[in-house]
Amino acid sequence: MSIAQTFTVTVVSTGGGNKYFIDGVQQDTVMIGAGLTYKFDQSDNSNDNHPLRFSSDSDNSTPYTVGVTAVGTPGQAGAYTQIDVQNGAPSTLYYYCTNHSGMGG
């Protein structure tokens, strides 16, 4: 599948702790669609120690791994998490940091 959209992920320390910024927007809600592929670029050094993953519930207790690929080490050149959204995927997915709570959206 070709990439439908690439999102640039950075991590910023706010008054409420570290938060993911997606294309410069804190904990942005992103719209993704079935049958398409999305890339979350984590090459910015602010992503160090903040692996981005997906879950099907807001408390991130159920990781969603179907079609998800993580490449490289967050914070280093070429690092990204990619999701090939399958038909039948949950209508809402959440992104989160596997090491720190409260960063995602």
Side-chain angles (χ1 to χ4, degrees):
M1 293 183 167
S2 63
I3 304 294
Q5 186 169 355
T6 297
F7 299 102
T8 300
V9 180
T10 54
V11 176
V12 177
S13 180
T14 68
N18 287 334
K19 305 293 181 189
Y20 281 125
F21 279 62
I22 307 295
D23 290 340
V25 179
Q26 181 178 332
Q27 295 173 293
D28 197 16
T29 298
V30 296
M31 304 302 287
I32 59 177
L36 300 171
T37 300
Y38 300 89
K39 184 176 181 178
F40 291 78
D41 180 351
Q42 287 199 277
S43 60
D44 186 87
N45 65 359
S46 66
N47 285 280
D48 184 42
N49 200 31
H50 300 295
L52 183 146
R53 297 296 183 270
F54 299 97
S55 70
S56 57
D57 56 354
S58 61
D59 66 0
N60 306 318
S61 62
T62 308
Y64 184 81
T65 59
V66 178
V68 176
T69 304
V71 174
T73 301
Q76 296 183 5
Y80 64 90
T81 299
Q82 182 171 297
I83 182 168
D84 298 318
V85 183
Q86 307 296 308
N87 288 326
S91 60
T92 301
L93 290 173
Y94 301 87
Y95 60 91
Y96 69 100
C97 175
T98 61
N99 292 334
H100 309 96
S101 63
M103 288 184 60

